[in-house]
Amino acid sequence: MEIRDTAEEWPVRSGQTPFRGAKTSVRSDEVVMPDGSVARRDFQVHPGSVAVLALDADRRVVVLRQYRHPVRHKLWELPAGLLDVPGENPLHAAQRELYEEAHVKAEDWRVLVDVFASPGGSDEAIRVFLARDLAEAEGERFEVAEEEADMELARVPLADLVRGVLAGELGNVALVSGVLALQAVLAGDGVESLRPALAPWPARPYEV
């Protein structure tokens, strides 16, 4: 048996979008089950997002601390953002987010891990990049607003983040996925085994 996710789509008898927000919406579908019964499935329609695990020469990771109202927490996170433009190249979006949120650029980019954030209730797909060979970005810093105005920036040793994840002290899905994936890669086949930065992403097809 091959252990891998496969694309599949069950018939939808009817559907509607009862809510549309600025970036996401809610979809309500009547889905035909394999036995012929019909079940209602409500879920968030999401454009997708990217995150960047930026690793410096001292094995420290660039992280941000930001308030997240839905979970009523300040979370430590990787620089990240939405894929605002349909078909947007996720690498370009990730480079933009690293610049805007951390004022950092990187020379070496690879795909670290792809995840579905919460597939039982949302179609959000996240691509986490590994960025290395870091340097301060040129020019003025991006002007932040709203929750980002209160954002904290730090560089934390990868080992400390791994311990925090396993202790239940860090819970952002991109950070958890990225940190544990990188730890596994470094203990296994090494960074060179990772997919290239422009690897296909079936969950969010894009133009190169």
Side-chain angles (χ1 to χ4, degrees), residues 31-99:
V31 183
V32 180
M33 301 289 113
D35 64 0
S37 63
V38 176
R40 175 176 163 179
R41 294 290 178 260
D42 303 322
F43 60 97
Q44 179 195 38
V45 179
H46 193 286
S49 53
V50 292
V52 185
L53 196 160
L55 186 70
D56 69 16
D58 297 319
R59 280 204 179 183
R60 299 177 303 169
V61 178
V62 176
V63 289
L64 312 165
R65 188 169 184 245
Q66 186 172 351
Y67 176 66
R68 294 301 188 183
H69 184 71
V71 295
R72 309 301 199 274
H73 272 70
K74 272 193 169 182
L75 300 179
W76 285 102
E77 305 179 350
L78 304 177
L82 298 177
L83 292 169
D84 294 313
V85 180
E88 183 178 17
N89 186 310
L91 174 61
H92 298 166
Q95 291 169 333
R96 180 187 68 238
E97 294 299 334
L98 185 62
Y99 167 76

Side-chain angles (χ1 to χ4, degrees), residues 33-173:
M33 301 289 113
D35 64 0
S37 63
V38 176
R40 175 176 163 179
R41 294 290 178 260
D42 303 322
F43 60 97
Q44 179 195 38
V45 179
H46 193 286
S49 53
V50 292
V52 185
L53 196 160
L55 186 70
D56 69 16
D58 297 319
R59 280 204 179 183
R60 299 177 303 169
V61 178
V62 176
V63 289
L64 312 165
R65 188 169 184 245
Q66 186 172 351
Y67 176 66
R68 294 301 188 183
H69 184 71
V71 295
R72 309 301 199 274
H73 272 70
K74 272 193 169 182
L75 300 179
W76 285 102
E77 305 179 350
L78 304 177
L82 298 177
L83 292 169
D84 294 313
V85 180
E88 183 178 17
N89 186 310
L91 174 61
H92 298 166
Q95 291 169 333
R96 180 187 68 238
E97 294 299 334
L98 185 62
Y99 167 76
E100 291 183 356
E101 294 193 342
H103 202 64
V104 168
K105 64 180 181 179
E107 291 297 323
D108 185 78
W109 290 82
R110 299 166 194 270
V111 174
L112 183 54
V113 65
D114 295 330
V115 297
F116 290 111
S118 181
S122 172
D123 70 350
E124 180 182 4
I126 305 173
R127 169 158 281 190
V128 183
F129 289 91
L130 173 64
R132 299 185 304 163
D133 298 337
L134 308 184
E136 290 295 313
E138 297 90 0
E140 296 183 4
R141 285 186 172 271
F142 182 77
E143 186 175 348
V144 296
E146 300 176 345
E147 291 95 341
E148 292 183 351
D150 189 49
M151 197 163 56
E152 302 172 49
L153 177 67
R155 294 195 182 196
V156 179
L158 175 64
D160 290 351
L161 294 177
V162 171
R163 282 192 290 268
V165 168
L166 297 180
E169 298 167 351
L170 301 169
N172 175 271
V173 64

